[in-house]
Structures are given as C-alpha cells and as structure tokens.
Amino acid sequence: MASYIIDKKDLKILLDKFLKEFKVYGPIKPGLDSSVDEIKSIDDLHLEYKSTIISPKKFFLPPKDTLFEFKIQKGNYEIKEIVNDEKFILFGLHPCDVNAILKLDEFFSGKFKDKYYQNRRKNSIIIALNCTQPGENSFCKSMNAGPFLYKGYDILLTDIDTKYLIEIGSDKGKKIIQGLKLNIASKNDLLKKEKKCKLANKKIKKILDPNWLPKLAEENLDHEIWIDLGERGGVAGSFPCLSCGSCSLVCPTCYCYDIYDTVDLSLKNGSRVRELDSCQLLEYGQVALGGNFRKDRKDRIRHWMFCKFGAAAGSKNSSCVGCGRCIRVCPSKIDITKVAKSLWRKK
Amino acid sequence: MAKKPKIGVFKLTGCAGCQMEIFRMEDEFLDLIKLFDISYWKMAKRDNDDKDLDIALIEGGISTPWEIEEIKCIRKNTKFLVAFGDCAIGGCIPSIRNWIPQMESEEIVYPDPSKICSTKVHGIGEYVKVDAELKGCPPHRKTILELLKSALLKIRPRLRQHPVCVECKFQGNACLITSNKLPCMGPVISGGCGAICPTLGRICEGCFGPMSNPNASALANIFRDIGLNDEDIKRKFRKYSGMSPEFRLEAGH
Amino acid sequence: MMNEYYPNFAIIKEIKKETINTNTFVLKFTDQKIADKFSWKPGQFMMLSVLGVGESAISISSVENDNSINATIRNVGNVTNSIFSLKKGDSLGMRGPYGTGWPLEKIIGKDILIVAGGMGLAPLYGVINHVIRNRTEYGHLEIIYGARTPENMVFKDEFSKWKRIKNSTFFLTADEITRENPFECRTGLVTSCFPMMKTHHRNAIALLCGPEIMMRFAAKCLETIGFADKKIYLSLERRMKCGIGKCGHCQIGLKYVCKDGPVFNYDDIKPFIRPL
C-alpha cells in the first residue's frame, strides 16, 4: 500500500479527525515513566516518550475485568452479560508493544476463545510509532520485536526529522485516513526511514541470542543461580528477588489472571471478576488444604523467567519482546538478560 | 430467615481507629445492623452481652496481665475470633516501646509508675488461637465487608496478602524506589489499601504489615544502597510490625 | 460467539455419601440440549461453580445413560464446602468437560496397571468401568488402591464387584487401620504392593492418580522394576481458575494442566514434578 507523509506541525489535523470518531489513547508524558491514557487534544500527546510504566495490554486485559454479573433468586441463577463495544485508537505504540499484542492475540485465540479479549481487540485500531530512541534497557532487537515494526499495525508512523512517514498496514488503517489530503512519500522519505532504522538499531546495547533461550529453560531447573536469585545475594549485581510481582505486572505479555466472585450485602447480586495475577506471589500456586506448588521464592522467579524464555502457553518461542520494563521496574535491579547470560556462561 | 450472627467488638491496647473504621462504612452501616446482631460494642451501645458470640473483632494488642485474661475469656465465648487491625495482629505502633526497657517506658509516660503493671506489647495471637486477621492500621473498609460477607456465606474470606506493589501497578504508578530512589516499604508490605500513599507520591510506610513470604533482608539491602543507615532501616521495619517474625532480623532482634 | 466463561446450570439429582467428608453428586444440565450434546472421556474434568463463592475443577468419575455426571467431591475448600451445603434438587453452575483424559484408545490390547491414592480413584473410576465394559479389548487389569484409612476410601460399594472382574487383581492398602477393616486392606503405601504385582512391564501401561508425592514415588518404583517412562501416565492437580488454558495458574513446564492434561505421559513432565 502507498505511503504518505505529514508535517509534524500538521499532526493535529490527523488527530482531530480521529477524535471525531473514536476514543484515542496515547502516551501522555515524555520520558521512561510515561503512560498510555486518554488523549483529548494534541497537547496531551507526547510521541517523544521512551516507554510506559504499564504496558498497553491494559486496554485488552484490564487489571480488573468483570466477566459477568449474576442474580440469585430462590436457588435459581440469572446471568447478565457485560458488553463493551467502545471503539478506540491506540496512538503511538512502540513496536515492542505491538509485537506483544500479536503474541497475546495468538494466546487468547485457539480452541477456547476469550471473548472479552477478542472483543476489545476487534474494536481497537493500532497506530504504531517506530522507536527511534530505544532506552538503555531495551533488547527488542534480539527478540525480533523492534526497534522498527513490520507487522501488526493498522497505521505505522516513523519520525523522519520534521515529518512523519505514514504507512498503511490494513484496510482498517486505510479507512480511517480516508478523506485526508496527504502527500505521497517520496523515495527520499523512505530512504530516510531506512537510515533512522539503522541508527536506532545501533543505539541498542543489550544483545541476547534468542535461539538459546528455550534451551536454557529446559536445562537449568536445578541451577544454583535460582537460589542466588531467590534467597542469597542476587545475580550479576542485583539484590535477591523480593517477589513483589512488579516484573510480571508491567510485562506486556504476562496474562495470568485470578478469577473470583463478589457479592453485595444481600448476597443476592454479584459478579464474577478476573484480576491480573502474578506468578511471583505466594497465593498464585496455592490449592485447597494449604498445598502450594511454588512455595519457594526461587521456584517462582524461575517459573517467571522460564515463561519469558519460552515456556509461555506451551510455546517453544520466547514470549518476551525485549521492552525492558521488568528491568526498569525491579527494585532489586534484577536483569533478565544478565540472568540468561549467567546461565549460559555457567553451563 | 436464619438467626442473625452475633458480633462483638472489643478494644484492648490500641487507638480505637479500627472501630472508627466500622463507623466510617456509612453506605453499608444500616444494612449491617440489619444483618448482624451487634451484641457487644462498648463504643456504640450501652447494654452489652459478651456471651456466645459468633464473631469477635478484637482491636488492639495485649499490654497488661488483665488483657491476657480478657482475651482468653473472649476466646472461650467466641466461635470465630478476628484479629482486627495491626495492633491485634502484632502489637503495631504500641509495640515500639518493646525496644526499650519496660521500666524506662513506664517512667516516660506516667509520673508515678509504681502503680503501673504492664507487659511487653504482643498481638493476641501470642495468647489465643486467631481464626482470621484483618490487616491494616486501620483495615480498609472493603476488607472488613469482605470478612463479614464471608461470615454470612460461611466461607473463608478472600483476604489476599499480595504486596502493595501489585496495587501500585494496578494504579499505573511509577515505582518510587527505582524511579525516585525513595525508601518505599511497598515490596514487603501487604496490600489491601489500594496503594493510596504511593499513588499520591508518598512512600509506603508499612501500615498493613508483612505480606505473605516477604523478602525483608533484600529490601533492607536496597535501602542501604539508596543511602539509608542501619538505624533508619531498623526504624522503618519496627514502626508497624517490628514484632512480626517476618521482620524480626531487620527490626533489630 | 460462545462465551466459555459462562457456567451452564445443572441440577443435583442425587447425593451419595462416600466417606465422612466425601460425596458423589449426580448432576444433570438443566438445558436438555446441552445434556444431549455432552460427551466425555475418563480423566476429564468439569468446572463447578456456586455463584457468589467461586469455581472449582472437579473430575468426572462416571456418566450415566441420561448424561448425568457423577462428580465425587471431597469437602476441602470454599467451593466444595458450599456444594456440600446444597440439597437434592438445588442447582449449581457447571461447564465442561475440559482436559485430555486417559489414552484409552492407545492402550487397547495392553495390560493395565492402575495405581490410585485417596481421591485419586475418582478420575480412574471411569477407566475401570470402561475396561469392564470392553473386557476383551484389554489384557490383565490390576488395581492398587491406597488411602489413609479404610474409612477414607471412596467407591467402597464397587469393591466386591471389582474383585470378581475376569483376569484381574485388586489390592487395597491403607496407611493405618484404626477401626474395622471390612475389605481386608493391607497396611502400607501403594508401592508396598508392587512386589506382589502380577503385571509385567513388557506389555503393560500404568495409570497413576493421587497425591503428587504418592505418584512421584510410585512412578520411581515402577521405573526401577522396568517400566519405561513412556508407559506411565499420571493425572495431575494444580490450581485452576479458568479450565480453558488462559489464566496461567496450572502451568507446569511447557504445559498447561487444564489444556494439555490433567493426564500426562510421565516422559513429558518428569523434570517438573520432582521436588526441586
């Protein structure tokens, strides 16, 4: 499909058109601790952001989500469906986050479909933004998830100095810019993108070989690194794990959730709720009679890392996209890439 | 309709803030009175009966020999005994006096300590079996309601003890430790508060007590790394739950 | 699009007492269409829910001609406790079946060794019935069932029938016998029956279900007497919330217990069930 360009100062025209028809969410702050929230005007939008604290998975898998409401009457039940049909645009997502969404797409489809996730996904439009300023924690390049994006977007923007290059990735994307007078991108503009891509790639300092990650997961169940990480002095300059769960809660591909019922004081009306959970918490593996399948901290941190290395949802591929959020958020400075490297070295 | 469960609310050594929290449940209070028979609650009623209670909410820790007798007596008369708030669980703020000699602390407060007979401050669990703990200083209204609803449904309440960090991330906050280099207690402290303080940019002080399986020594090391000295760290761990086994070493036992 | 999270409703047709804290509930979907469509394999499980309390994974022990489901439940937690407070004619939420079930087709023609502990007999009950019904398709059947005490055993009514199955052996063993011993139980762990076992590993498949520690030891003992890992199957328990492979709680190694299991080949999950 054709590519277009728009002057940075004209971005308002584009945004205003979207705002007429959709709710728009985008980065509302510059820097590493930005967050994706509602954008009401061009002044709210900070496309120069580096990363967000919470990943955009919150739009598809909210931390708290009501599955259905129910009414109990004389031993009979009545179930009330929850329908959420808000159509929305995610504006300015980085390639790592778009790739994470693609991984979640795969996970929430399959034999049993997750209606809640798929509904929200169907109602979403993704306007991605190629990442020209990857941070010190990013290792997206190694995970094949950035810094530039090649699939999964409806519209893709690339910052080429005074302009944005606009590429269309889907019919949805084509439809929403219909009627706008946009200039066709020149060969020079496309070359500029190439250059930007090379520059961005060079900025990434964290490198891993993703091919050996699944293998690491299989071969190092008993490695003493897990004891270091869980109980002793940490690994590669980190402190031991606090099992606070922050890493998995900010991770764009961690999807584990808990389900529970709540009722009002009449005990007649209630709802079944799902809430984001973390495998780092003691309660995660608990079953009746106080049994727990992952009682030790070392088991829990190992479980999480293996899941990121490649065990998630029975896949052989890593579910990590290298966004670096878990490294940024860890109070103990645990760095999953350093742990992987230590495991590899100590084989 | 089945008989209304009988509730008693008792106060030992504490500030009465936990009881106030029940009054604060303005939206639900009238419904609660309909559902429960409040049999004993000195703060709220004149005639009190402490016999055959279904549920007893105990506020406050144990600091005198009389209180030891009292809690044992309440235990005998109660089916389901709840340690209501941090004081009842582990002594909480009153227990900071455990770190100086008994006589000395009595002298600071009372002009004539010869008439005072106090013990070290402990949670009620030191003396009697506790069926449930409502963490917090004071506990959040939501957890109080959760416990009372569970009592009506005859199930165990869903009182998770995940760290404040979980709720902080639900709020979308930046981490005060990593982003601002502040000594936040969040990673070892039980949530339930909705991470109110970090959401307002203030560090977690630790008022909900230890989470399940906290790594207190690791957090102490992190605090040292961001510039706190050993005394600061001790004080932080002593403040709300210095007597808890989870924080023993860091509090300086 | 069907929403897999919505429970259908089922009515309690009958409650049979098994032990002091275990009952078999006979459950039938209230919607006849759902009941008619229902098909299952031994080893699969259902998600039962009491709205307002929660949901729990419960294995199917057998299914009757009118597609009523027999679920043998031990009263151990919030959901099971609430199910126990229900009476005949009450309704509860039910969805399923989920999971893989025992590889009944794969083991045709083989000798079958069943090792069960405590409640672990419930998911294997269907296998025993299947073998009885298709007796000629399978070789020797050996059942070893252990529990804490004889009183703690489930399906006691069936024992005399099982003792008379053609070409079979049946061992009962209890950790301790404190009161009467109506079924002539031996004392000891299930593994203590292995030396007397008739089954030879050459043409046999072992099916294990029980507490994880029991399965771990039983599998290890079977290995030492020559069973190949590939010939041992076991049914695992994990914390489950969704039952459909989404919530993540039951993950074990590369697998999800609810989706890829609960029945696993020992060869596939061996590294993940040892004490680490």
Side-chain angles (χ1 to χ4, degrees):
Chain A
M1 279 183 239
S3 304
Y4 306 92
I5 45 163
I6 190 166
D7 272 357
K8 275 188 178 169
K9 58 178 169 28
D10 290 337
L11 201 63
K12 189 179 179 312
I13 304 171
L14 196 67
L15 183 69
D16 285 347
K17 180 174 159 61
F18 297 157
L19 281 170
K20 260 183 228 153
E21 288 167 70
F22 303 95
K23 264 218 157 135
V24 178
Y25 299 95
I28 56 157
K29 269 189 281 188
L32 272 167
D33 291 336
S34 182
S35 88
V36 183
D37 269 311
E38 195 179 346
I39 302 286
K40 293 219 167 96
S41 80
I42 190 81
D43 301 331
D44 299 338
L45 192 66
H46 287 269
L47 288 179
E48 72 281 19
Y49 81 111
K50 284 195 162 176
S51 178
T52 59
I53 301 158
I54 308 295
S55 91
K57 78 175 170 193
K58 68 176 179 182
F59 292 100
F60 307 109
L61 190 66
K64 231 179 212 163
D65 195 10
T66 305
L67 296 178
F68 55 81
E69 286 170 351
F70 55 80
K71 222 181 213 161
I72 307 167
Q73 267 170 342
K74 286 181 190 157
N76 277 323
Y77 302 111
E78 196 182 297
I79 286 187
K80 212 182 111 196
E81 205 176 336
I82 303 269
V83 189
N84 188 348
D85 270 336
E86 182 194 78
K87 292 207 171 5
F88 61 97
I89 288 180
L90 294 179
F91 200 115
L93 295 198
H94 280 166
C96 52
D97 290 335
V98 178
N99 274 302
I101 293 170
L102 294 180
K103 283 180 193 285
L104 288 180
D105 283 352
E106 207 174 306
F107 175 73
F108 280 107
S109 54
K111 185 183 165 201
F112 296 112
K113 296 181 174 37
D114 191 289
K115 198 182 167 187
Y116 308 91
Y117 177 90
Q118 293 197 338
N119 226 0
R120 292 200 175 92
R121 193 65 180 89
K122 203 180 71 201
N123 290 329
S124 69
I125 294 165
I126 292 179
I127 302 183
L129 170 70
N130 273 328
C131 184
T132 48
Q133 300 282 343
E136 52 167 343
N137 295 327
S138 309
F139 54 105
C140 50
K141 188 173 152 191
S142 304
M143 306 318 290
N144 215 359
F148 273 46
L149 189 64
Y150 301 97
K151 59 178 183 207
Y153 55 86
D154 296 306
I155 288 180
L156 175 66
L157 304 179
T158 312
D159 182 338
I160 44 170
D161 303 327
T162 57
K163 288 175 278 189
Y164 283 111
L165 178 73
I166 301 178
E167 289 164 277
I168 316 291
S170 73
D171 288 340
K172 251 197 223 170
K174 200 172 168 184
K175 216 171 139 196
I176 59 165
I177 58 157
Q178 246 166 26
L180 278 177
K181 278 188 199 119
L182 295 170
N183 294 322
I184 303 278
S186 67
K187 213 171 187 182
N188 195 23
D189 293 326
L190 293 171
L191 274 174
K192 263 190 194 162
K193 180 192 167 187
E194 295 277 299
K195 229 165 100 190
K196 284 268 173 186
C197 181
K198 269 184 201 144
L199 264 170
N201 266 306
K202 262 189 207 151
K203 281 182 191 153
I204 293 176
K205 296 283 179 278
K206 267 194 200 313
I207 305 286
L208 263 185
D209 184 351
N211 293 321
W212 41 257
L213 284 182
K215 229 184 166 136
L216 279 187
E218 273 168 37
E219 289 171 4
N220 292 294
L221 278 170
D222 288 326
H223 206 288
E224 61 175 20
I225 269 188
W226 305 118
I227 304 170
D228 288 342
L229 210 47
E231 314 296 336
R232 295 198 294 233
V235 168
S238 82
F239 296 102
C241 175
L242 294 158
S243 58
C244 67
S246 295
C247 47
S248 70
L249 292 164
V250 299
C251 175
T253 59
C254 272
Y255 47 74
C256 288
Y257 55 84
D258 189 18
I259 300 181
Y260 60 90
D261 288 8
T262 57
V263 282
D264 66 1
L265 268 172
S266 73
L267 309 181
K268 301 277 181 239
N269 307 303
S271 50
R272 184 159 286 174
V273 181
R274 73 168 161 198
E275 189 176 294
L276 213 55
D277 203 348
S278 165
C279 55
Q280 298 309 297
L281 309 175
L282 187 71
E283 286 92 344
Y284 181 89
Q286 233 154 29
V287 290
L289 302 177
N292 196 326
F293 292 102
R294 273 186 286 277
K295 211 153 74 213
D296 292 338
R297 206 174 293 123
K298 68 170 169 41
D299 294 344
R300 282 178 260 145
I301 184 72
R302 182 190 58 203
H303 180 77
W304 183 73
M305 291 210 169
F306 279 6
C307 195
K308 294 297 119 187
F309 287 167
S315 135
K316 282 272 176 191
N317 300 313
S318 172
S319 72
C320 177
V321 290
C323 70
R325 282 190 180 88
C326 57
I327 306 171
R328 162 94 179 143
V329 83
C330 181
S332 285
K333 300 181 184 170
I334 294 170
D335 181 336
I336 188 168
T337 63
K338 285 185 188 163
V339 174
K341 278 179 189 162
S342 305
L343 277 175
W344 188 246
R345 221 175 293 133
K346 286 190 182 172
K347 255 172 67 119
Chain B
M1 203 182 141
K3 231 183 94 209
K4 289 198 260 181
K6 269 170 91 174
I7 289 194
V9 184
F10 298 85
K11 179 179 175 292
L12 304 172
T13 301
C15 73
C18 298
Q19 294 183 66
M20 290 307 294
E21 202 62 19
I22 307 180
F23 283 126
R24 272 196 61 211
M25 296 194 284
E26 286 153 359
D27 296 335
E28 299 91 4
F29 195 75
L30 293 175
D31 288 326
L32 284 176
I33 301 179
K34 279 183 216 150
L35 292 164
F36 293 92
D37 173 8
I38 298 177
S39 185
Y40 186 101
W41 190 6
K42 278 199 169 159
M43 192 193 247
K45 42 188 298 220
R46 193 172 294 134
D47 303 318
N48 292 293
D49 170 21
D50 61 357
K51 296 280 167 322
D52 297 322
L53 296 172
D54 292 298
I55 305 166
L57 302 176
I58 315 293
E59 183 208 65
I62 306 283
S63 71
T64 66
W66 302 284
E67 284 177 341
I68 301 175
E69 291 315 308
E70 192 181 348
I71 191 66
K72 283 182 179 164
C73 186
I74 298 170
R75 176 72 265 191
K76 265 187 213 141
N77 289 324
T78 306
K79 283 200 197 100
F80 196 78
L81 187 85
V82 183
F84 182 39
D86 284 352
C87 289
I89 295 170
C92 195
I93 289 186
S95 75
I96 50 179
R97 79 158 149 87
N98 291 0
W99 304 95
I100 54 173
Q102 199 72 7
M103 294 288 276
E104 215 174 282
S105 71
E106 287 174 3
E107 272 164 16
I108 295 171
V109 182
Y110 298 99
D112 179 11
S114 68
K115 294 201 176 64
I116 301 300
C117 178
S118 69
T119 62
K120 294 253 176 206
V121 182
H122 287 289
I124 57 172
E126 287 284 312
Y127 304 98
V128 294
K129 181 179 160 264
V130 174
D131 299 307
E133 290 180 350
L134 275 182
K135 284 173 174 277
C137 182
H140 197 279
R141 294 150 60 199
K142 265 192 196 158
T143 59
I144 304 174
L145 272 180
E146 177 68 30
L147 182 108
L148 293 176
K149 277 188 282 194
S150 308
L152 292 173
L153 282 166
K154 297 195 174 68
I155 58 176
R156 261 168 302 172
R158 181 181 188 273
L159 300 171
R160 290 196 56 161
Q161 295 175 27
H162 55 223
V164 175
C165 296
V166 171
E167 288 164 8
C168 205
K169 298 292 148 346
F170 284 2
Q171 299 281 348
N173 301 331
C175 178
L176 293 172
I177 299 180
T178 60
S179 294
N180 301 18
K181 301 273 171 262
L182 291 172
C184 177
M185 291 287 281
V188 294
I189 296 298
S190 178
C193 55
I196 331 173
C197 298
T199 306
L200 295 170
R202 296 189 51 116
I203 54 170
C204 169
E205 292 287 342
C207 73
F208 271 58
M211 65 187 255
S212 44
N213 193 215
N215 196 344
S217 71
L219 190 66
N221 284 332
I222 292 167
F223 286 172
R224 218 160 275 137
D225 184 53
I226 57 179
L228 267 65
N229 62 35
D230 289 356
E231 281 308 304
D232 292 338
I233 294 169
K234 258 188 215 164
R235 263 197 297 276
K236 282 185 100 50
F237 281 94
R238 273 178 197 182
K239 192 169 181 184
Y240 285 95
S241 25
M243 302 306 286
S244 68
E246 290 91 339
F247 292 171
R248 276 187 83 80
L249 291 174
E250 287 64 36
H253 269 287
Chain C
M1 186 160 52
M2 247 253 304
N3 191 333
E4 204 55 47
Y5 291 96
Y6 286 176
N8 296 304
F9 290 98
I11 197 158
I12 300 178
K13 274 178 59 191
E14 212 187 318
I15 302 173
K16 290 182 255 179
K17 198 160 180 67
E18 298 282 350
T19 76
I20 188 158
N21 61 356
T22 313
N23 286 350
T24 295
F25 291 83
V26 184
L27 308 166
K28 186 158 186 216
F29 282 116
T30 40
D31 187 339
Q32 190 60 39
K33 267 186 234 149
I34 299 173
D36 289 341
K37 267 203 312 210
F38 184 82
S39 75
W40 74 298
K41 273 165 71 182
Q44 284 188 304
F45 65 93
M46 307 293 290
M47 295 299 288
L48 298 187
S49 60
V50 177
L51 291 183
V53 178
E55 209 166 30
S56 225
I58 305 286
S59 71
I60 306 169
S61 39
S62 64
V63 172
E64 294 173 7
N65 288 336
D66 68 341
N67 275 355
S68 315
I69 293 154
N70 285 5
T72 305
I73 304 172
R74 182 158 285 178
N75 185 353
V76 287
N78 272 347
V79 177
T80 49
N81 196 357
S82 304
I83 294 176
F84 268 66
S85 71
L86 298 173
K87 295 178 296 292
K88 191 174 157 178
D90 286 348
S91 58
L92 45 72
M94 179 158 84
R95 58 191 177 96
Y98 300 121
T100 47
W102 301 99
L104 291 173
E105 297 81 33
K106 261 199 206 161
I107 57 177
I108 286 177
K110 304 256 196 242
D111 293 344
I112 295 170
L113 169 67
I114 284 175
V115 184
M119 283 298 292
L121 189 57
L124 283 162
Y125 182 81
V127 178
I128 299 173
N129 277 341
H130 180 88
V131 174
I132 295 174
R133 242 177 287 127
N134 307 286
R135 194 64 201 95
T136 50
E137 288 186 16
Y138 299 92
H140 183 258
L141 172 69
E142 185 142 37
I143 304 168
I144 300 174
Y145 178 43
R148 217 147 36 82
T149 63
E151 296 89 63
N152 271 313
M153 290 183 169
V154 291
F155 307 119
K156 288 188 275 265
D157 298 347
E158 307 283 319
F159 290 172
S160 57
K161 192 170 102 193
W162 290 351
K163 276 183 182 159
R164 295 195 308 270
I165 302 171
K166 260 187 224 151
N167 189 18
S168 78
T169 29
F170 183 30
F171 292 100
L172 285 169
T173 176
D175 296 354
E176 51 174 354
I177 292 165
T178 45
R179 284 184 280 164
E180 66 261 51
N181 185 8
F183 317 107
E184 291 153 26
C185 281
R186 305 162 30 82
T187 44
L189 303 172
V190 282
T191 42
S192 69
C193 300
F194 287 2
M196 294 164 303
M197 204 158 67
K198 273 199 180 160
T199 310
H200 191 273
H201 64 82
R202 211 176 305 126
N203 190 39
I205 294 287
L207 309 177
L208 275 50
C209 187
E212 198 152 307
I213 183 158
M214 175 220 108
M215 292 196 282
R216 219 154 49 209
F217 279 107
K220 216 178 197 170
C221 287
L222 289 174
E223 266 183 83
T224 53
I225 57 172
F227 268 88
D229 291 349
K230 273 198 172 4
K231 290 183 160 187
I232 304 172
Y233 288 87
L234 26 82
S235 175
L236 293 185
E237 180 208 8
R238 279 290 180 278
R239 183 164 182 227
M240 284 180 201
K241 282 288 168 186
C242 70
I244 53 176
K246 307 284 182 216
C247 81
H249 286 80
C250 65
Q251 193 182 2
I252 167 168
L254 292 167
K255 312 270 185 190
Y256 273 19
V257 172
C258 67
K259 189 175 68 156
D260 308 307
V263 177
F264 287 101
N265 193 294
Y266 185 48
D267 194 39
D268 292 338
I269 47 149
K270 198 174 166 188
F272 299 102
I273 59 159
R274 63 201 162 140
L276 292 162

